[in-house]
Amino acid sequence: MRSDKHQHKNRKKRKRKAFLLVLLILIAAVFAYIYWQFRAGVSESTKDSNVEKVEYEFNGEKDEQGWTNTLLIGSDTRGEKGARSDTIMIAHYHKDKGIYKITSIMRDSYVEIPGHGKNKINAAFAFGGPELLRQTIKDNFGLDIQYYSIVDFEGFVQLIDEAFPDGVEVDVEKHMSDYIGVTLEPGVQQLDGEHLLGYVRFRNDTMGDFTRVERQQKVVKNVAGQLTSLETVPKLPKLIGVVTPFINTNLNTATMLFMGKDFLTAGNKNIESLTIPVEGGFKEQRVSGIGDILAPDLEKNRAALDEFLKADQTQ
């Protein structure tokens, strides 16, 4: 009897060892696949990036309400130093609630920049990089931001062309060609990365930058929706590899993969958006030596942002 029990225990041990070995092999295979896909994406980037790979100081903290906030800084510096940020967006991600939101800050918002007096908010990036821009947003609008990503516009082009070989469907509302490097005609069409970039950068409208920000938010939601309609999760490491040469960020690859995977597998793909300053929360003025500006009512805009991020918290 003892011999039978001993043999039975040995068989159970061997089975456990075999199971663990298979599990380790599978885990190793998954990590090898992720790394291979990531490296393939990096190697397939067809153009050189202008993003300077500088390790910036960034003292951001996680939001008290549980949001992971990432400052997205759109740049077309072409290697220039001290350039202002062309686009300022904040991506909000709430892990526990599975909620994703975006806030755009108008670059002509006239605010107090710590140590530099009043200026357009996009000047903060030129004066002190992402950390000064973070401080400026925190001081004026009361938002904690944990991460930053400086994105060369060419990286946007590369990502779109890799993820959507047939282009992204967009309803172009009018003829567009001024200062965007491409020509777009009105109508529903599939846009490649270069033409989609031209679409989101066009600002020769009656409402100027307001309409441009609306387009940017529309495209972010549109691209996000189309990404989730594909079998994109297996391609995620490669997509991150494609854009990595064009991004300077304090997000590590593992965090980007985790957040991207959570978004692609989440059930609710509705992304809400907010534009700062909000309607009725600013005055248009002209400041000598600076030009046309938007003077925000900080109290109204702080309240609007706080309300925006409190929404859905009871889910």
Side-chain angles (χ1 to χ4, degrees):
M1 291 290 293
R2 288 183 179 178
S3 178
D4 289 343
K5 286 183 178 179
H6 183 69
Q7 289 178 3
H8 181 67
K9 287 181 179 179
N10 285 340
R11 282 196 296 270
K12 288 181 71 175
K13 285 182 181 179
R14 286 196 295 269
K15 286 180 180 179
R16 281 199 298 268
K17 287 180 180 179
F19 173 76
L20 289 173
L21 179 61
V22 171
L23 184 61
L24 287 171
I25 291 172
L26 287 173
I27 291 172
V30 168
F31 277 100
Y33 171 80
I34 290 172
Y35 179 76
W36 176 75
Q37 284 281 300
F38 175 77
R39 295 308 307 172
V42 172
S43 64
E44 287 183 20
S45 291
T46 57
K47 294 185 179 180
D48 293 331
S49 170
N50 292 314
V51 169
E52 188 178 3
K53 295 293 185 177
V54 176
E55 187 174 341
Y56 288 101
E57 175 189 6
F58 199 77
N59 300 316
E61 299 177 354
K62 192 168 184 177
D63 183 87
E64 291 181 358
Q65 298 183 46
W67 291 98
T68 298
N69 299 315
T70 303
L71 179 60
L72 305 176
I73 305 166
S75 171
D76 190 22
T77 63
R78 306 188 190 281
E80 299 170 11
K81 291 188 177 181
R84 298 190 177 201
S85 47
D86 188 80
T87 298
I88 303 170
M89 300 181 80
I90 303 161
H92 312 282
Y93 165 58
H94 201 293
K95 178 179 179 294
D96 295 336
K97 302 292 183 180
I99 304 170
Y100 299 80
K101 298 187 178 188
I102 54 173
T103 296
S104 298
I105 300 180
M106 303 290 290
R107 61 184 186 177
D108 291 341
S109 299
Y110 192 62
V111 296
E112 187 75 30
I113 299 175
H116 296 271
K118 282 208 159 188
N119 208 321
K120 293 183 179 182
I121 195 168
N122 67 341
F125 181 67
F127 294 153
E131 170 60 12
L132 184 58
L133 182 53
R134 181 199 68 79
Q135 291 177 30
T136 302
I137 293 170
K138 169 69 174 176
D139 289 357
N140 287 276
F141 303 112
L143 182 68
D144 285 309
I145 299 174
Q146 189 175 6
Y147 299 110
Y148 72 87
S149 289
I150 305 168
V151 184
D152 186 329
F153 285 137
E154 186 55 44
F156 174 83
V157 172
Q158 296 276 313
L159 174 64
I160 296 301
D161 288 343
E162 176 65 34
F164 306 102
D166 297 325
V168 174
E169 183 176 297
V170 176
D171 187 0
V172 180
E173 57 269 27
K174 60 189 290 185
H175 172 87
M176 301 178 183
S177 61
D178 295 341
Y179 311 113
I180 60 174
V182 295
T183 298
L184 300 172
E185 299 299 341
V188 177
Q189 53 203 282
Q190 301 291 124
L191 299 182
D192 63 12
E194 184 180 9
H195 287 80
L196 190 61
L197 176 62
Y199 176 74
V200 298
R201 296 196 70 193
F202 183 77
R203 62 179 300 185
N204 193 16
D205 298 289
T206 304
M207 294 296 291
D209 215 31
F210 281 99
T211 314
R212 189 181 75 120
V213 167
E214 286 180 7
R215 284 194 202 95
Q216 290 173 352
Q217 292 178 347
K218 181 177 82 172
V219 166
V220 167
K221 296 176 185 179
N222 192 4
V223 168
Q226 292 188 46
L227 271 173
T228 55
S229 69
L230 304 172
E231 296 179 357
T232 313
V233 173
K235 290 182 67 177
L236 184 59
K238 186 175 182 181
L239 294 177
I240 290 175
V242 165
V243 299
T244 292
F246 302 92
I247 296 178
N248 189 352
T249 181
N250 63 340
L251 275 162
N252 59 46
T253 302
T255 302
M256 286 192 282
L257 283 167
F258 177 79
M259 293 171 66
K261 182 269 299 177
D262 260 22
F263 172 74
L264 294 175
T265 56
N268 181 13
K269 302 303 190 299
N270 181 37
I271 302 177
E272 295 182 51
S273 61
L274 178 73
T275 299
I276 297 291
V278 296
E279 185 176 353
F282 68 94
K283 293 181 180 179
E284 294 185 72
Q285 297 176 356
R286 187 168 185 83
V287 176
S288 177
I290 292 179
D292 295 328
I293 59 96
L294 305 173
D297 180 322
L298 294 183
E299 185 176 346
K300 282 186 179 180
N301 284 281
R302 275 183 176 236
L305 182 57
D306 186 59
E307 184 66 24
F308 177 65
L309 294 178
K310 276 184 179 175
D312 303 316
Q313 289 297 293
T314 57
Q315 289 184 0

